[in-house]
């Protein structure tokens, strides 16, 4: 059996449109074996998104209160003569998932996009007939000097020897092949590997990858460009090829070429290739070690305009795809676990550049900019478990000496009297002065970035951007320390952010809605804000409640979180409990509790808990009776079981 036959059968690709270059976002193909441990947080305050789908789809979230995004792959749209759309990522589907407490969303963007040779197809369309691309055609096409639709005559097409993958690889392996034919051979491989999994496997079996890597060091820019594009398509959704490229020590050559080449197309292909490589879990840590600083210094900082100010003249900014590719790569890398987050947080200039780029997008009324989505997804992942992972030297401004005030071994709860004293302590915590010019890691919890997130929530129409912004705020408000407390105060009081979050309660995208509810759940744990939240959002929270236990898992989690928000708001306030009664919330809670009589869902348990705690307000018993409710509506075997299960 040949080496080609021994290779695994092709994995299905979800790329449905043709394009010349491809990139992955999120889960690409299943790796041989991942060396990166996935986060296994419980259903709490933060969320982490681990991967992203092959096309711009909805977000994928892990079950948590807040998340981090992993591999994000958004299919980009390509305008070519033959086709209109392209590919890359959803923060893992969007990357993966969001919830109420921390948002540990791994925003990882896997492969970027296929790069197809300028011909746009495996043949040339002339007069209604399709002819197979020949070697000469590939060479001319790769130069970009002529249009394939008009430049070849019938005589030329019949006189040329047909190019095949075997012949193309043979040309690469022949030490006497001219630059012209090396370019033609690499362009043909690039073209054939576009959306053809079997071609990518065959090229691997022919041992062509080492030769293509060798061409990266060729002095001819056409050869370099074609080799980069071929490698980019070769590794698309093929983990064996990804690992082969890395194991053949392509990274030093690629990074050297990225730093020294002045050709923007070469830079675009290298960053696209690296985006595809970064979707493999085994390679994320290595890419962080080898490529993070180079990408930051040579692409992220100059393309963002951070160091040059608002009117940067850097040539790189003329091709936005280079920055898009690089941020897609970093989006995947940011989902590499605690050590990966640490490396990205401490990378000099990275966070400042990302924040600056987002700020420019908001100021220029471009909230739907695709690179902005990548930037927000990266910051979302970096905000995951922020308070527990950042060095104490970065958070000393938040009066770290008082941090233990709210940490006596019990989480701030939403379950009535047991957490009442703890909630009172929250209101006693002083808010330290924020740095007037935060740098690096400090930007992650700055008021400026909180304001930008709220602007994107209000103005962006991209679900991933909205979800990542909400998830970042969810992560920042998770936990019991002073940073979460301060950020919550900023959202509700300084920036009047509840009005923007309210609108997300009724969007059609379930992931965005769940993340918005998870953020509100975090905010509602802050006792000093509960009355403001109840006054502004009680009617909307009741309206967002279903009439019975929902069918889907994400809807069950969302409705359970709404119940816990209501529980937080009513536990210590008869006025808020009365408001819940006036808006018809008790009817809905009873219906939900009754529809889950054995409490097998989170929603059924949470609704029963709220009902039980409502009866604690003795001053409302007459109001309940007037509204035709009985004690057994509030205290019964279901609600008692929910209360005692805590």
């Amino acid at each position: 059996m040949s080496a080609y036959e021994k290779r695994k059968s092709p994995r299905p690709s979800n790329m449905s449109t043709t394009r010349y270059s491809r990139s992955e976002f999120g889960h690409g193909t299943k790796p041989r074996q991942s060396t990166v441990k996935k986060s296994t947080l419980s259903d709490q305050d933060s969320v982490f998104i681990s991967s992203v789908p092959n096309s711009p789809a909805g977000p994928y979230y892990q079950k948590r209160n807040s998340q981090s995004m992993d591999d994000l792959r958004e299919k980009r749209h390509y305008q070519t003569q033959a086709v209109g759309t392209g590919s890359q990522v959803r923060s893992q589907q969007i990357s993966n998932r969001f919830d109420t407490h921390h948002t540990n969303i791994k925003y990882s963007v896997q492969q970027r996009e296929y790069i197809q040779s300028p011909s746009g197809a495996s043949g040339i369309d002339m007069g209604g007939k399709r002819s197979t691309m020949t070697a000469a055609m590939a060479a001319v096409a790769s130069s970009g000097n002529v249009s394939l639709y008009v430049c070849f005559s019938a005589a030329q097409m019949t006189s040329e020897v047909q190019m095949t993958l075997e012949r193309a690889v043979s040309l690469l392996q022949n030490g006497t092949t001219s630059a012209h034919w090396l370019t033609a051979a690499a362009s043909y491989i690039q073209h054939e590997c576009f959306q053809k999994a079997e071609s990518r496997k065959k090229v691997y079996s022919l041992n062509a990858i080492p030769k293509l890597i060798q061409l990266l060091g060729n002095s001819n820019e056409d050869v370099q460009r074609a080799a980069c594009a071929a490698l980019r398509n070769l590794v698309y959704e093929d983990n064996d090829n990804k690992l082969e490229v890395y194991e053949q020590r392509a990274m030093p050559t690629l990074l050297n070429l990225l730093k020294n080449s002045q050709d923007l197309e070469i830079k675009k292909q290298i960053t696209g290739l690296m985006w595809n490589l970064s979707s493999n879990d085994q390679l994320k840590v290595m890419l962080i070690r080898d490529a993070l600083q180079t990408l930051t210094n040579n692409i992220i900082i100059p393309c963002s305009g951070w160091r040059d100010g608002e009117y940067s003249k850097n040539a790189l900014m003329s091709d936005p795809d280079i920055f898009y590719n690089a941020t897609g790569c970093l989006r995947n890398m940011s989902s590499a676990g605690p050590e990966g987050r640490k490396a990205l947080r401490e990378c000099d200039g990275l966070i400042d550049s990302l924040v600056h780029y987002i700020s420019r997008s908001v100021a220029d009324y471009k909230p739907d900019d695709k690179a902005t989505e990548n930037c927000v997804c990266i910051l979302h992942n970096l905000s995951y478990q922020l308070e527990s992972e950042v060095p104490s030297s970065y958070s000393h401004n938040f009066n770290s000496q008082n941090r233990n005030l709210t940490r006596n071994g019990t989480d701030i709860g939403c379950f009535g009297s047991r957490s009442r004293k703890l909630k009172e302590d929250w209101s006693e915590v002083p808010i330290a002065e924020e740095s007037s010019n935060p740098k690096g890691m400090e930007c992650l919890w700055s008021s400026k970035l909180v304001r930008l997130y709220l602007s994107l929530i209000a103005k962006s129409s991209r679900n991933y951007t909205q979800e990542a912004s909400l998830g970042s705020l969810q992560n920042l408000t998770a936990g019991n320390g002073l940073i979460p407390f301060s950020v919550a105060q900023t959202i509700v009081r300084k920036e009047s952010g509840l009005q923007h979050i309210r609108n997300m309660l009724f969007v059609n995208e379930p992931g965005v809605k769940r993340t918005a509810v998870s953020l509100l759940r975090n905010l509602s744990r802050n006792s000093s804000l509960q009355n403001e939240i109840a006054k502004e959002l009680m009617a909307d929270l009741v309206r967002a409640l279903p009439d019975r236990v929902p069918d889907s898992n994400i809807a069950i989690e969302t409705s359970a979180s709404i119940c816990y928000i209501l529980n937080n708001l009513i536990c210590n306030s008869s006025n808020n409990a009365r408001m819940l009664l006036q808006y018809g919330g008790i009817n809905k809670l009873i219906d939900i509790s009754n529809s889950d009589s054995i409490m097998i869902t989170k929603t059924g348990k949470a609704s029963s808990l709220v009902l039980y705690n409502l009866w604690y307000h003795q001053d409302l018993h007459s109001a309940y009776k007037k509204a035709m409710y009985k004690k057994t509506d509030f205290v019964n075997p279901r609600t008692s079981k929910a209360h005692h299960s805590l």
Side-chain angles (χ1 to χ4, degrees):
M1 183 179 293
S2 68
Y4 171 57
E5 291 171 326
K6 288 179 182 178
R7 277 208 43 163
K8 298 177 259 188
S9 59
R11 292 176 284 271
S13 167
N14 54 359
M15 308 298 300
S16 59
T17 53
T18 344
R19 64 185 148 262
Y20 301 147
S21 177
R22 241 184 208 178
S23 287
E24 298 175 40
F25 291 69
H27 317 294
T29 54
K30 192 172 177 82
R32 302 182 202 170
Q33 174 139 17
S34 173
T35 58
V36 179
K37 292 183 180 179
K38 296 290 183 184
S39 171
T40 55
L41 291 184
S42 60
D43 221 353
Q44 295 179 8
D45 311 5
S46 57
V47 179
F48 178 80
I49 293 184
S50 56
S51 261
V52 190
N54 287 328
S55 60
Y60 172 59
Y61 310 99
Q62 295 173 344
K63 295 183 178 181
R64 317 172 167 136
N65 290 326
S66 186
Q67 308 164 11
S68 238
M69 291 190 177
D70 244 15
D71 296 331
L72 173 65
R73 310 190 287 171
E74 170 186 16
K75 298 186 176 183
R76 63 174 283 190
H77 297 281
Y78 285 90
Q79 297 298 327
T80 67
Q81 287 176 310
V83 178
T85 55
S87 97
Q88 224 244 1
V89 154
R90 197 202 151 177
S91 187
Q92 192 157 16
Q93 318 165 76
I94 193 190
S95 198
N96 269 24
R97 11 306 157 182
F98 299 81
D99 204 356
T100 321
H101 299 50
H102 251 176
T103 294
N104 180 23
I105 295 176
K106 277 171 149 187
Y107 275 113
S108 231
V109 189
Q110 286 186 332
Q111 283 118 290
R112 246 309 304 264
E113 60 209 277
Y114 273 111
I115 295 180
Q116 199 162 293
S117 59
S119 65
S122 59
I124 300 169
D125 189 351
M126 295 196 56
K129 298 181 180 180
R130 279 197 98 59
S131 299
T132 303
M133 178 184 275
T134 63
M137 293 177 187
V140 176
S142 66
S143 69
N145 293 328
V146 292
S147 166
L148 284 177
Y149 291 106
V150 297
C151 73
F152 295 109
S153 67
Q156 283 176 307
M157 286 189 284
T158 56
S159 64
E160 293 289 347
V161 175
Q162 276 192 354
M163 181 72 86
T164 64
L165 285 175
E166 289 82 359
R167 289 189 179 117
V169 174
S170 178
L171 285 169
L172 298 182
Q173 294 171 338
N174 189 329
T176 62
T177 303
S178 67
H180 177 82
W181 286 101
L182 288 173
T183 303
S187 296
Y188 183 81
I189 291 172
Q190 167 204 350
H191 171 272
E192 287 300 297
C193 290
F194 172 71
Q195 252 184 348
K196 293 183 182 179
E198 66 277 8
S199 294
R200 299 196 286 275
K201 298 182 187 305
K202 188 170 186 179
V203 171
Y204 173 90
S205 70
L206 292 171
N207 199 33
I209 290 178
K211 300 305 297 183
L212 288 167
I213 293 172
Q214 187 178 334
L215 293 185
L216 297 174
N218 193 287
S219 59
N220 187 293
E221 287 189 340
D222 289 337
V223 175
Q224 294 173 347
R225 195 179 301 115
C228 287
L231 288 168
R232 184 177 179 183
N233 280 1
L234 269 168
V235 304
Y236 178 77
E237 291 195 339
D238 191 307
N239 282 300
D240 290 330
N241 285 355
K242 289 186 179 85
L243 294 172
E244 177 73 2
V245 166
Y246 190 85
E247 289 164 4
Q248 291 296 328
R249 294 193 51 76
M251 289 310 300
T253 305
L254 285 169
L255 294 174
N256 184 61
L257 192 56
L258 184 67
K259 287 189 288 187
N260 297 317
S261 176
Q262 301 302 309
D263 186 280
L264 296 184
E265 184 64 24
I266 289 176
K267 290 181 183 291
K268 181 161 66 176
Q269 301 312 330
I270 292 174
T271 52
L273 168 58
M274 292 176 68
W275 187 352
N276 285 354
L277 293 172
S278 70
S279 66
N280 183 288
D281 281 343
Q282 292 174 270
L283 298 181
K284 288 176 186 176
V285 174
M286 280 82 95
L287 286 169
I288 290 172
R289 181 193 63 204
D290 298 341
L292 173 59
Q293 199 64 61
T294 299
L295 277 174
T296 300
N297 292 343
N298 293 275
I299 305 297
I300 301 299
I301 291 175
C303 284
S304 71
W306 169 54
R307 283 193 175 147
D308 299 328
E310 297 298 324
Y311 304 102
S312 174
K313 300 297 183 182
N314 194 297
L316 285 172
M317 297 181 73
S318 64
D319 192 336
D321 283 338
I322 296 174
F323 185 73
Y324 180 48
N325 291 347
T327 53
C329 181
L330 291 173
R331 182 173 176 177
N332 282 346
M333 289 158 60
S334 69
S335 67
E339 291 304 312
R341 291 194 294 273
K342 181 177 185 291
L344 267 68
R345 287 173 186 145
E346 295 177 355
C347 182
D348 186 39
L350 174 59
I351 294 176
D352 304 87
S353 297
L354 298 177
V355 173
H356 181 79
Y357 187 87
I358 295 171
S359 179
R360 278 180 44 207
S361 297
V362 171
D364 293 342
Y365 302 98
K366 296 178 180 178
D368 293 327
D369 172 69
K370 60 187 180 181
T372 297
E373 178 189 306
N374 283 346
C375 294
V376 177
C377 289
I378 296 166
L379 295 177
H380 182 189
N381 281 354
L382 298 188
S383 69
Y384 180 63
Q385 293 190 333
L386 182 66
E387 195 171 32
S388 63
E389 292 180 356
V390 299
S392 58
S393 58
Y394 280 93
S395 54
H396 69 279
N397 283 338
F398 284 82
N399 297 325
S400 57
Q401 67 274 17
N402 294 329
R403 196 172 298 248
N404 291 330
L405 185 60
T406 58
R407 290 183 177 172
N408 59 3
T410 306
D411 287 337
I412 299 297
C414 54
F415 307 121
S417 59
R418 290 188 300 171
S419 62
R420 186 168 299 166
K421 178 62 171 68
L422 216 51
K423 290 183 178 181
E424 290 171 358
D425 286 344
W426 270 73
S427 61
E428 300 298 325
V429 177
I431 302 177
E433 289 295 324
E434 181 181 335
S435 171
S436 59
N437 188 26
K439 296 290 185 183
M441 206 179 301
E442 289 180 308
C443 293
L444 292 174
W445 60 80
S446 67
S447 295
K448 175 184 177 180
L449 188 53
V450 169
R451 192 177 308 116
L452 290 173
Y453 288 143
L454 292 171
S455 294
L456 291 173
I457 291 167
K459 298 174 183 177
S460 178
S461 61
R462 291 176 76 95
N463 289 334
Y464 308 144
T465 300
Q466 291 177 328
E467 189 169 7
S469 299
L470 289 162
S472 296
L473 295 176
Q474 180 186 350
N475 284 347
L476 291 171
T477 55
N480 303 326
L482 298 175
I483 289 179
F485 179 75
S486 176
V487 172
Q489 295 283 329
T490 298
I491 293 171
V492 176
R493 291 182 173 163
K494 289 178 63 177
E495 301 299 334
S496 302
L498 292 178
Q499 59 180 321
H500 304 312
I501 302 169
R502 167 200 284 121
N503 297 330
M504 299 297 103
L505 295 176
F506 305 101
V507 296
N508 293 326
E509 174 55 48
V512 173
K513 180 177 179 178
R514 176 171 62 179
T515 310
V517 171
S518 297
L519 168 58
L520 289 174
R521 182 175 173 181
N522 284 355
L523 296 175
S524 70
R525 294 163 69 236
N526 189 321
S527 61
S528 66
L529 301 176
Q530 287 170 357
N531 291 339
E532 293 172 64
I533 295 172
K535 182 179 180 180
E536 189 162 348
L537 296 183
M538 183 66 79
D540 297 290
L541 291 168
V542 170
R543 186 158 66 97
L545 273 177
D547 295 321
R548 54 180 295 109
V549 173
D551 296 327
S552 70
N553 289 335
I554 187 171
I556 287 174
E557 290 182 17
T558 302
S559 54
S561 289
I562 294 175
C563 290
Y564 287 128
I565 294 169
L566 295 174
N567 195 62
N568 288 343
L569 299 180
I570 63 96
C571 277
N572 300 315
S573 172
S574 292
N575 288 336
N576 293 344
R578 188 183 300 275
M579 202 182 303
L580 178 60
L581 170 66
Q582 292 170 346
Y583 283 119
I586 293 179
N587 270 344
K588 281 194 169 183
L589 291 168
I590 292 174
D591 290 342
I592 294 171
S593 179
N594 288 339
S595 70
D596 188 11
S597 58
I598 56 175
M599 284 200 314
I600 59 174
T601 68
K602 294 179 181 178
T603 302
K605 179 179 178 180
S607 61
S608 296
L609 179 66
V610 183
L611 289 169
Y612 190 94
N613 286 334
L614 280 167
W615 190 252
Y616 271 112
H617 296 292
Q618 296 183 8
D619 56 322
L620 294 180
H621 287 183
S622 60
Y624 296 154
K625 184 177 180 180
K626 186 176 181 180
M628 307 301 292
Y629 294 115
K630 304 182 295 293
K631 179 179 179 180
T632 52
D633 291 323
F634 301 94
V635 181
N636 55 55
R638 287 190 309 278
T639 62
S640 297
K641 182 180 178 181
H643 174 74
H644 293 299
S645 67
L646 297 176

